[in-house]
Structures are given as C-alpha cells and as structure tokens.
C-alpha cells in the first residue's frame, strides 16, 4: 500500500472518527446542555436519537448517490454538510433547533463514511485490502473510548458548544483534501433511484434504531420500544420482499450469498454489539462501584485505545499466518475472557491489573474488527461493492444500537441475577452484566467456524499448511458463494 493509497484511507478514517465521536460525546454534556436550554437532562437524549436515526435512514442510499454523482463529489458534499451542521449545532439556542441540525449532521455522516470507504475499497487491490481496512478501522475504535473524556473536558473547562465546534476546523481541512485525494468513481450508466426501496428501508432502519434506543433507556419506555421494534421488523420484512422482487433494487441482497460477507456481517454484528456495550458499562462501574472520578475513569479507559494501536502492526501478519477463521475463533474466545475479567474487577484490584485487562481487551477488539471488516469484502466482486458497503454500514449501525440496549438491559437484569447467584459487593451487578455480554463473542466463535479454512485467501494469500496437512487452495469469489440459498 503506497503513500498515495494511504492518503484517502487516512482521510476517510478521520471522517469515521468524527462521525462516531458525535454519536456518543453528547452523553457527558447532557446536564450542561439541558441547563442552557432550560429543560431536563433526559430530554437531551432526543438529539442523540435524531442523529443515529438520520444515519440509519440515509446510509442505504449512499451507494446509489456515489454511482450517480461520483465518490469525490458526494464525499466532499457530505463533509461540507457535516461541517456546516456542526457549526449550526454549536449555535443552537433551543432544543428544537439542535434536533433539526443534528438530523442534518446525521445526513452528512450517512454519506460521508460509507462513500469514503467505498472509494477506498474500489481502488485498493485485494492484497492491500488488509492494510487499508486497518487504517479505516482504528479511529472508529478510538471515538467511543475518548468521547466521555473529551465531553467532560469541553464541558468542564470551556462550553458544551465546543463538542460541535471542534468539527469545524477538521472539516475545513478535510474538504480540500477530499477534492485532492478521493478518486472520482461512478457508474457509466447509473441506475434510477428505487424510491420504494429507499422509503421502506429508511422507515425500517429508523424504527429499529429508535426502538433499540428506547430499549436502552428507562423501563417506562420499553412498551413504546417494543412497538417501534415491531414496526421496524414489519417494515424491514416488506423491504426484503420488495428488494427481492424489484428489477433494479436499491440494494442487491444477493450479496449475502457470498459466505465471507454473510459471516462477516452476522458474526461481526454480534461482536460489534458486544464491544459497543463495554464503553457504556466500564465508566459506570469505575465511577459508581469503584468510586473513581470521571477524569480518572476516562484516563484509565485510554488503555483500551493503547491496545488498539499497539496491535495494529501485528494484525496483518497474524491474518496472513493463521487465516481469518483461526484468528476470529481464537480472538472471539479471548474477547469473551476479557469480558469476564472486566466483571471480576473490584475496589481492591491493583490499578496496573485494571490497565492490563483493558489493554488486552483493546487488542482483542482491534484484531477482530479489522478481520471482520476485511473478510467481508475479500470475495466481493467490484460491481457489488457499493451494495455490500451500504448493507455492511447499515448492519454496523444497528449492531451499535443493539449493544448499548443490551448493556442497559443487562444492568437492570443483573441485580436480581446477582442475588440468585449469591453474589454481593459493589461490582456484583457489573460482574453479571459482563458475564451475560461474554456470550456474544462466544456466539461469534460459532459463526466463524462456518468459514472455510482458506476464507479470504485472495486478501491474505494461501494459509500456510499445518504439519502433516497440505496447504489449502486460494479461495476465489465464485468458490465463496453459497449456492444452497440459505
């Protein structure tokens, strides 16, 4: 991967960081924002919901927009919209205005990251895909870890408005960089927009995301959450029916016939849900159960990011040496162990041991996310990249919402379960919650075992033979398609 190829990947990685940061950073600033608007802190949650719903609605149309107007133009416009919307969010003088500008910000984010990633995927050769995905992945891992600390710093020492203003100089720098670095890729004969598919997919994803957001909130909203989830499932079912019958669908669901793509999104969704729950639970445990200050909790959490970064030079060699299936199986089991270890932390645990557990947790999540993100596109044909990219982005959005909802539900169920299990102490509920979440990466292991041993060999090269066994042949796109229709 040359320096010229690395430039677009780094630019898209920065956009990915901004999008993920703005999805979570508001939580720590909610009290100050509520005070300035003269409302209750819990009312600020609607601004987070508005953002993620806008993301969910417009992600499915990102591939079509890139094919119609070109990746460079759409990505540049998305950065512009996101930057202007960020400035408008900072200038908002009321909750309604902030919600509207957050929707605009979400629309920009929905086009910014998927289209940028599409440009990188289309211009990266299969042997270089591992390194490109590694560059794209780590900023998204960083954002949820840094969001609580940055939100607290901005709110304490400046103003909550800096949460949004910080995006403006970044956007001003990114816009000309996008015009210079991002290739102008488009279809010669772009398809017409499938309006029925867009409306159905947008409605289904929006309802599912909203339902998951409510499910992760107070129990009083669970009834409404179930209604939204039911509506989302119904709309999603109608969407699938329409896409399968349409001659020119918004998204080609046949992409899921590719085994590596299907496993990447099924197991990858469970894994992403699990690691999305951890940044929600760990700060609560450190502050409420261990009695730490918010500053200390945020500082210690950076050990997760240190693990993410430290393992990056070794991720590609690991995958080339052992293959995707082995790495995902072993790393999934290791991630489950780190969840159990997090649940065992207590007031008497030495700080060095806490940092070590978080560091190893960061290593595990980084390796698996890079592996899932790469193997999903290893066998995707160039003409299917846009659809695969949009589908994968939508799945990731739902998985993140699912993880936060499961973390909240796990905490509410953990109290009674801790009593039944005879556990006590300030961290008993967290031990149960992390134990429940450890099931998710174990389920990922079962899914990863469905991959052939040479899965993704177009990216990694042939997996070295084990002692007494011949080397498996390289997989090809056609060989990785499940013809059974399951």
């Amino acid at each position: 991967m040359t320096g010229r190829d690395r430039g677009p990947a780094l630019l898209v990685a920065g956009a990915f960081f901004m999008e993920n940061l703005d999805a979570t950073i508001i939580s720590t600033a909610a009290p100050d924002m509520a005070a300035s608007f003269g409302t209750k802190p819990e009312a600020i949650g609607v601004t987070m919901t508005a953002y993620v719903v806008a993301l969910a609605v417009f992600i499915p149309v990102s591939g079509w927009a890139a094919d119609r107007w070109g990746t460079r133009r759409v990505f540049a416009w998305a950065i512009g919209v996101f930057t202007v919307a960020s400035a408008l969010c900072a200038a908002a003088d009321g909750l309604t205005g902030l919600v509207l500008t957050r929707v605009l910000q979400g629309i920009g984010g929905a086009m910014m990251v998927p289209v940028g990633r599409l440009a990188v995927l289309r211009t990266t050769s299969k042997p270089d895909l591992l390194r490109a995905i590694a560059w794209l992945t780590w900023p998204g891992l960083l954002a949820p870890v840094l969001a609580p600390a940055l939100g607290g710093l901005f709110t304490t020492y400046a103003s909550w408005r800096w949460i949004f203003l910080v995006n403006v100089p970044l956007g001003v720098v990114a816009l000309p960089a996008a015009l210079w670095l991002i290739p102008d890729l488009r279809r010669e004969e772009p398809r017409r927009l499938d309006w029925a598919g867009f409306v159905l997919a947008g409605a289904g994803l929006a309802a599912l995301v909203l339902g998951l957001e409510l499910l992760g909130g107070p129990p009083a909203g669970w009834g409404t959450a179930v209604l939204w989830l039911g509506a989302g499932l119904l709309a999603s079912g109608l969407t699938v029916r329409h896409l399968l019958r349409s001659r020119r669908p918004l998204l080609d669901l046949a992409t899921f016939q590719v085994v590596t793509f299907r496993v990447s999104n099924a197991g990858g969704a469970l894994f992403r849900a699990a690691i999305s729950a951890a940044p929600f639970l760990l700060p609560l445990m450190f502050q409420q159960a261990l009695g730490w200050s918010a500053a200390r909790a945020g500082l210690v959490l950076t050990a997760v990011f240190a693990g993410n970064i430290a393992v990056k030079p070794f991720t590609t060699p690991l995958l080339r040496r052992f293959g995707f299936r082995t790495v995902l199986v072993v790393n999934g089991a290791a991630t489950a162990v780190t969840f159990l270890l997090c649940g065992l932390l207590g007031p008497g645990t030495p700080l060095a041991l806490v940092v070590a557990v978080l560091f190893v947790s960061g290593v595990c999540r980084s390796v698996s996310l890079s592996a899932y993100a790469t193997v999903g596109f290893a066998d995707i044909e160039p003409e299917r990249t846009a659809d695969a990219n949009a589908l994968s982005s939508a799945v990731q959005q739902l998985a993140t919402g699912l993880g936060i909802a499961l973390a909240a539900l796990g905490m509410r169920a953990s109290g009674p379960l801790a009593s039944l299990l005879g556990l006590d102490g300030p961290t008993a509920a967290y031990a149960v919650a992390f134990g429940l979440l450890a099931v998710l990466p174990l389920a990922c292991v079962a899914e990863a075992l469905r991959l052939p041993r040479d899965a993704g060999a177009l990216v990694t090269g042939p997996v070295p033979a084990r002692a007494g066994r011949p080397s498996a042949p390289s997989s090809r796109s056609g060989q990785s398609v499940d013809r059974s229709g399951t």
Side-chain angles (χ1 to χ4, degrees):
M1 189 176 181
T2 65
R4 177 68 180 175
D5 295 329
R6 194 177 297 119
L10 287 173
L11 178 60
V12 177
F16 191 22
F17 173 78
M18 287 196 299
E19 181 201 277
N20 277 266
L21 187 70
D22 276 57
T24 54
I25 197 171
I26 283 181
S27 58
T28 51
D32 283 56
M33 296 173 71
S36 65
F37 293 149
T39 186
K40 296 180 179 180
E42 54 266 26
I44 301 299
V46 70
T47 64
M48 299 174 65
T49 302
Y51 180 77
V52 296
V53 167
L55 282 174
V57 170
F58 285 92
I59 280 174
V61 81
S62 61
W64 171 84
D67 286 339
R68 175 68 177 82
W69 289 296
T71 51
R72 180 189 299 159
R73 181 180 299 179
V74 175
F75 185 67
W77 271 102
I79 290 176
V81 169
F82 189 87
T83 304
V84 171
S86 296
L88 293 174
C89 286
D93 57 1
L95 185 59
T96 301
L98 182 59
V99 170
L100 293 176
T101 53
R102 284 285 280 174
V103 170
L104 183 62
Q105 196 184 34
I107 294 172
M111 295 291 171
M112 186 168 62
V113 174
V115 172
R117 185 171 66 171
L118 177 62
V120 173
L121 290 172
R122 281 182 169 174
T123 56
T124 302
S125 63
K126 295 293 185 181
D128 289 332
L129 193 60
L130 268 172
R131 289 188 176 88
I133 294 294
W135 284 107
L136 291 175
T137 302
W138 71 263
L141 296 169
L142 169 62
V145 177
L146 286 188
L150 287 177
L153 288 174
F154 284 136
T155 304
T156 302
Y157 298 106
S159 165
W160 64 263
R161 298 183 187 275
W162 278 98
I163 288 173
F164 303 109
L165 284 175
V166 72
N167 290 327
V168 176
L170 296 176
V172 169
V173 172
L175 184 55
L179 296 174
W180 178 47
L181 292 173
I182 300 299
D184 190 23
L185 307 174
R186 67 183 76 195
R187 285 191 179 184
E188 293 183 2
E189 296 182 3
R191 55 190 172 181
R192 296 177 60 184
L193 179 60
D194 176 14
W195 283 101
F198 172 55
V199 172
L200 286 171
L205 287 171
L208 289 173
V209 168
L210 185 57
L212 290 171
E213 288 277 316
L214 292 172
L215 198 62
W222 288 357
T224 306
V226 171
L227 292 177
W228 278 111
L229 289 172
L233 290 173
L234 176 61
S236 298
L238 293 174
T239 303
V240 172
R241 181 173 178 269
H242 167 78
L243 295 177
L244 291 175
R245 292 187 174 190
S246 176
R247 293 173 58 188
R248 293 186 175 181
L250 176 69
L251 298 169
D252 183 10
L253 297 183
T255 308
F256 281 111
Q257 292 180 355
V258 180
V259 175
T260 47
F261 181 79
R262 186 172 68 243
V263 171
S264 167
N265 283 276
L270 293 176
F271 191 87
R272 186 173 292 275
I275 65 169
S276 297
F280 175 84
L281 287 177
L282 286 170
L284 289 177
M285 183 176 74
F286 290 157
Q287 295 176 70
Q288 296 181 357
L290 303 186
W292 291 4
S293 66
R296 185 183 186 188
L299 183 62
V300 171
L301 278 173
T302 59
V304 177
F305 171 60
N308 294 339
I309 296 301
V311 77
K312 279 304 173 191
F314 307 101
T315 302
T316 297
L318 276 173
L319 289 169
R320 293 194 190 282
R321 173 64 181 85
F322 298 104
F324 285 100
R325 187 182 69 175
T326 300
V327 168
L328 288 173
V329 168
V330 174
N331 206 64
T335 302
V337 172
T338 65
F339 272 65
L340 295 175
L341 291 176
C342 285
L344 294 176
L345 300 176
T349 306
L351 181 60
L353 184 56
V354 175
V355 171
V357 170
L358 296 183
F359 181 87
V360 174
S361 173
V363 168
C364 292
R365 60 194 246 133
S366 179
V367 171
S368 280
L369 276 185
S370 294
Y372 278 121
T374 307
V375 76
F377 294 96
D379 299 319
I380 294 296
E381 299 165 355
E383 62 271 17
R384 286 183 169 183
T385 303
D387 289 326
N389 183 55
L391 287 167
S392 181
S393 297
V395 170
Q396 290 177 19
Q397 191 64 41
L398 289 174
T400 301
L402 176 62
I404 296 173
L406 289 176
L409 290 173
M411 278 303 299
R412 291 189 174 91
S414 59
L417 287 175
S419 299
L420 289 175
L421 295 172
L423 300 176
D424 57 10
T427 61
Y430 292 97
V432 174
F434 276 111
L436 293 174
L437 287 173
V439 175
L440 293 180
L442 289 178
C444 297
V445 171
E447 186 69 19
L449 287 171
R450 299 178 61 187
L451 287 170
R453 181 172 177 264
D454 67 331
L458 288 174
V459 173
T460 60
V463 179
R466 298 175 185 173
R469 292 184 59 180
S471 177
S474 298
S475 65
R476 301 181 185 274
S477 297
Q479 293 172 335
S480 298
V481 177
D482 186 345
R483 304 294 184 185
S484 66
T486 58

